[in-house]
C-alpha cells in the first residue's frame, strides 16, 4: 500500500512517543484505502481489510464470521484525524450488508489517549489488552507438597 513517507514517519513517531516499549509500526498492509483531510489540510489515511470465515474455520473460535479491520495512519493529528478516519469508515460500511456475526476491529495502543477518545466517541470499545513485562518474573519459591 502506497502511503506517503512523511505520514508513515509521523505514524511511527506517534507510536514511539506513546509507548517506548512498542515495536516500530509496520508498513501498511494491502487493502482498501480510506483518505480524509483535517481542517488544516493534513492528510490522514486508513487501510481497510475484510476477512470472511466459514463454518469450521478455526479462527471462528475467537472471531466474528465477517470482520473488517482498520489500520489508521493519522500522524500527529490526534483526535481529529482518528475522528475523520472513523467517519470515513462508517460512510464506507454504510452500504454493506452485514449479518449478525460481524465486527469492525482496530488494534491500537491503549496509552494513546487522543486516539482512544475518538474510538470511544464512535462506539468502539476495548476487547483485549496485551501487557509487556519489563523484568523477569520473580523466582518461584520451593515446591509445596500436600500430604493426606
Amino acid at each position: 500500500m502506497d502511503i506517503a513517507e512523511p505520514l508513515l514517519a509521523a505514524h511511527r513517531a506517534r507510536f514511539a512517543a506513546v509507548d517506548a516499549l512498542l515495536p516500530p509500526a509496520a508498513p501498511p498492509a494491502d487493502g482498501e484505502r480510506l483518505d480524509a483531510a483535517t481542517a488544516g489540510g493534513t492528510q490522514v489515511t486508513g487501510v481497510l481489510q475484510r476477512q470472511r470465515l466459514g463454518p469450521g474455520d478455526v479462527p471462528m473460535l475467537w472471531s466474528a464470521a465477517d470482520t473488517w479491520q482498520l489500520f489508521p495512519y493519522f500522524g500527529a493529528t490526534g483526535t481529529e484525524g482518528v475522528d475523520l478516519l472513523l467517519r470515513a469508515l462508517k460512510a464506507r460500511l454504510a452500504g454493506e450488508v452485514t449479518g449478525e456475526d460481524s465486527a469492525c476491529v482496530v488494534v491500537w495502543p491503549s496509552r494513546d489517549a487522543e486516539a482512544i477518545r475518538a474510538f470511544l466517541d464512535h462506539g468502539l470499545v476495548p476487547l483485549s489488552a496485551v501487557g509487556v513485562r519489563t523484568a523477569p518474573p520473580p523466582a518461584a519459591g520451593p515446591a509445596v507438597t500436600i500430604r493426606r
Side-chain angles (χ1 to χ4, degrees):
M1 178 64 47
D2 180 33
I3 289 190
E5 189 55 41
L7 184 57
L8 184 55
H11 178 70
R12 288 182 172 147
R14 180 175 199 88
F15 270 34
V18 165
D19 189 339
L21 295 176
L22 287 171
D30 289 333
E32 180 181 343
R33 189 165 162 168
L34 300 175
D35 293 312
T38 66
T42 302
Q43 172 82 22
V44 294
T45 297
V47 176
L48 184 61
Q49 293 180 340
R50 184 177 194 178
Q51 180 181 27
R52 292 181 183 170
L53 302 172
D57 288 346
V58 174
M60 285 281 290
L61 293 170
W62 58 83
S63 177
D66 190 10
T67 303
W68 296 86
Q69 184 165 359
L70 177 66
F71 299 88
Y73 296 87
F74 57 91
T77 63
T79 305
E80 179 187 13
V82 181
D83 178 67
L84 289 166
L85 285 175
L86 293 176
R87 288 177 190 277
L89 174 65
K90 284 183 179 182
R92 166 60 185 84
L93 296 181
E96 292 291 331
V97 176
T98 57
E100 291 181 18
D101 192 13
S102 63
C104 186
V105 176
V106 181
V107 177
W108 201 259
S110 62
R111 291 185 178 178
D112 189 348
E114 290 179 318
I116 298 304
R117 175 75 267 152
F119 294 140
L120 292 172
D121 288 347
H122 283 270
L124 297 170
V125 295
L127 292 179
S128 64
V130 176
V132 176
R133 185 175 293 160
T134 59
V144 176
T145 304
I146 299 175
R147 294 187 181 158
R148 293 184 184 212

